[in-house]
Amino acid sequence: MHRKPKHITVFEHETIKIGQIIDGVLIDEGTINALENFFGEKGVPFFALTNKGVKFCEYIGVLQVGNLSINILPKADKTISKSSDISVKNNWNRFLIGMLQSVGLFNVQAPSVSSLRLKSNSILDLYFELFVKEVNYLIHRGLIKKYRNTEGNCTSLKGSLQFSKNIQKNSVHKERFYVKYATYDNDHKLHQILLKTLKLLNQINTNATLQSELGVILLGFPELSDIKVNEATFDTIIYNRKTETYKNAIEIARLLLLNYHPDVSKGSNNVLALLFDMNLLWEQFVYVSLRKYKPVGSTITAQTSKYFWRPVKGRVSKMRPDIVINKDREDCIVLDTKWKNLNGYNPSPEDLRQMYAYTHYYNAKQVALVYPGESDYIKSGTYELGKKDCSVISLSIPKAFSIKDWQEEISKSIMNWYCSS
């Protein structure tokens, strides 16, 4: 019996506390305790512990605690973060989903994202439905079989007889044979991971639309061996022409299974974290936008390393800007993306020193810091040490939903600055 789902929306760097009411939902002690247990002794990067509460960091996405979904949205746009209008928050949710899709975190084999039936705008619900659609797609194509080695006592001799174990186990039962043989069936790692994820969703899903579909899939899914899943389980998977169609479903399963934390004490406040570092997402989004609309003849690379210090002993130190346009050319441009709102202030001295170093080690014609903002603007400043120019580019977040238009506008703004520099 699934408890009635509850949803709240908060923003990165916001704090929630016991007794606080958000979107009509009371934050109770059980929710905060579950998050504290999830934090553990080693900690997690998604939030920090405070007195009777938690403070979220620069990660955005969804935390599901029991039947409560905590939707964490970006705070770079002040007008949106201050708004209590549900439609405005949903608009950001759609942008966020679009950004994830554009950088490859919403790849899907069977349907397109636009064909998804769920309209809750929850990233978690969308991932759940994507996984279900992927599994249905695989079932429709036909679940593949693979060979696996099996050993045990049999009443007939097949495969290879294991002499030492046969003597050990069958000294009395001469009619049995301890053998090792190959079996060709559905009971292999890919299906075991899918089944484990289906069972997890059946346990934690709070969306009634998906629950019946999950039940139908589980009813028809083959009986498989249970396995323990960790990072190594996924790292050892090798795809080939036959299993390539499983890749998207397995990647979603990886996200869900490795970010799930069961409540071992009560079993009612399990935690599932599906969160993304907004700094990395913004960097990747700007990069893929530039790549998508780059001018003919230009090159754009991401995370290009250069050594800048080599000690007598030990490791060398590298510098790695986010984006380099026309690397190793006279018209080289270096961009560093920063997911923060300057609020009218200048960039930090650390960021400026970093850009100053890039001009020398990349022999860059121009460098710029790229921020999200409420309106497009380009501001230039001159370093005191050397006459090197550094621009600050603020890219506005549109009010109307169109990821494609936003990407095109981002590329246009940066390329216009690049051509005029």
Side-chain angles (χ1 to χ4, degrees):
M1 186 75 178
H2 288 269
R3 293 176 291 169
K4 184 179 179 181
K6 297 181 288 186
H7 303 272
I8 65 171
T9 298
V10 298
F11 293 90
E12 54 177 341
H13 307 299
E14 190 173 333
T15 299
I16 62 172
K17 290 182 174 290
I18 296 174
Q20 188 177 356
I21 297 176
I22 303 173
D23 297 336
V25 176
L26 175 67
I27 306 300
D28 58 23
E29 188 175 353
T31 298
I32 300 301
N33 287 343
L35 290 174
E36 289 177 350
N37 291 334
F38 179 56
F39 190 85
E41 293 183 2
K42 295 182 179 178
V44 293
F46 313 133
F47 55 84
L49 301 182
T50 64
N51 182 30
K52 296 183 179 180
V54 298
K55 181 179 181 180
F56 299 105
C57 301
E58 66 274 9
Y59 284 77
I60 49 86
V62 177
L63 268 169
Q64 181 166 309
V65 186
N67 64 327
L68 172 64
S69 290
I70 305 174
N71 203 25
I72 307 167
L73 296 183
K75 200 178 180 180
D77 188 341
K78 292 186 295 182
T79 59
I80 292 176
S81 63
K82 289 179 180 178
S83 175
S84 59
D85 186 350
I86 297 298
S87 64
V88 175
K89 291 180 178 180
N90 284 345
N91 189 53
W92 235 119
N93 239 333
R94 290 192 293 272
F95 266 115
L96 188 53
I97 290 167
M99 290 175 73
L100 292 170
Q101 184 185 5
S102 68
V103 301
L105 291 175
F106 258 132
N107 288 337
V108 59
Q109 181 73 29
S112 65
V113 173
S114 60
S115 73
L116 299 179
R117 292 177 285 106
L118 301 183
K119 301 301 179 186
S120 67
N121 297 310
S122 164
I123 294 174
L124 199 58
D125 284 346
L126 285 173
Y127 265 107
F128 285 4
E129 189 180 2
L130 282 174
F131 180 76
V132 169
K133 281 188 175 289
E134 285 289 337
V135 173
N136 270 329
Y137 171 75
L138 295 171
I139 292 173
H140 180 73
R141 284 176 56 94
L143 297 177
I144 64 169
K145 294 181 179 181
K146 296 177 73 174
Y147 284 103
R148 61 184 175 89
N149 289 325
T150 306
E151 64 175 63
N153 265 327
C154 295
T155 54
S156 60
L157 181 60
K158 56 181 177 179
S160 59
L161 183 67
Q162 306 297 296
F163 289 101
S164 59
K165 288 188 177 180
N166 188 60
I167 294 170
Q168 180 185 347
K169 294 180 179 293
N170 297 325
S171 57
V172 176
H173 299 281
K174 303 295 183 182
E175 75 284 1
R176 297 178 186 173
F177 306 92
Y178 196 93
V179 293
K180 188 174 185 178
Y181 58 95
T183 304
Y184 187 65
D185 59 13
N186 295 122
D187 195 4
H188 52 80
K189 187 189 294 185
L190 294 177
H191 292 158
Q192 291 161 356
I193 291 172
L194 296 184
L195 181 58
K196 201 169 190 72
T197 310
L198 286 168
K199 288 180 177 179
L200 171 63
L201 296 194
N202 192 51
Q203 177 188 346
I204 66 174
N205 171 56
T206 59
N207 194 296
T209 310
L210 278 183
Q211 203 59 38
S212 59
E213 198 167 353
L214 281 167
V216 171
I217 294 175
L218 282 168
L219 196 62
F221 214 78
E223 291 187 13
L224 306 171
S225 305
D226 187 32
I227 59 169
K228 290 185 178 181
V229 173
N230 53 34
E231 284 279 3
T233 308
F234 295 93
D235 292 340
T236 56
I237 295 175
I238 299 175
Y239 297 98
N240 54 34
R241 182 179 57 83
K242 192 177 178 181
T243 60
E244 187 67 26
T245 52
Y246 281 73
K247 192 170 185 178
N248 288 327
I250 295 297
E251 284 304 309
I252 297 173
R254 179 179 190 147
L255 271 175
L256 299 177
L257 292 175
L258 297 185
N259 290 287
Y260 173 68
H261 181 79
D263 180 4
V264 293
S265 58
K266 297 180 180 178
S268 59
N269 280 328
N270 305 315
V271 177
L272 175 61
L274 197 60
L275 298 165
F276 306 91
D277 187 334
M278 202 60 208
N279 290 308
L280 295 177
L281 180 58
W282 176 241
E283 174 193 324
Q284 279 294 304
F285 184 66
V286 172
Y287 169 67
V288 297
S289 300
L290 289 171
R291 289 273 298 179
K292 190 173 182 179
Y293 296 101
K294 74 182 183 72
V296 177
S298 63
T299 64
I300 299 176
T301 56
Q303 293 287 324
T304 303
S305 299
K306 270 201 172 186
Y307 298 119
F308 74 96
W309 186 65
R310 185 184 298 274
V312 176
K313 293 182 179 180
R315 294 182 178 180
V316 297
S317 295
K318 301 177 183 178
M319 59 173 53
R320 183 179 295 172
D322 295 336
I323 301 168
V324 180
I325 303 174
N326 296 336
K327 180 177 176 285
D328 297 329
R329 285 170 33 179
E330 290 184 2
D331 55 348
C332 174
I333 304 289
V334 177
L335 304 175
D336 235 36
T337 59
K338 304 292 180 183
W339 182 258
K340 62 178 78 169
N341 197 314
L342 289 178
N343 296 319
Y345 294 98
N346 289 325
S348 69
E350 292 78 12
D351 289 343
L352 291 173
R353 292 187 192 107
Q354 188 178 37
M355 301 311 290
Y356 179 72
Y358 291 156
T359 62
H360 288 274
Y361 279 87
Y362 284 84
N363 196 26
K365 175 185 176 183
Q366 181 63 287
V367 295
L369 292 159
V370 181
Y371 299 88
E374 295 176 41
S375 59
D376 286 326
Y377 74 89
I378 298 174
K379 177 181 178 182
S380 293
T382 303
Y383 296 114
E384 289 185 13
L385 296 175
K387 296 181 179 179
K388 295 289 185 179
D389 218 34
C390 176
S391 295
V392 173
I393 302 175
S394 175
L395 301 173
S396 64
I397 300 167
K399 307 305 177 188
F401 174 67
S402 174
I403 281 293
K404 182 180 177 182
D405 290 347
W406 190 16
Q407 286 187 282
E408 193 170 359
E409 196 60 39
I410 285 173
S411 180
K412 183 180 176 182
S413 297
I414 292 177
M415 285 305 174
N416 283 345
W417 161 80
Y418 158 70
C419 293
S420 62
S421 61

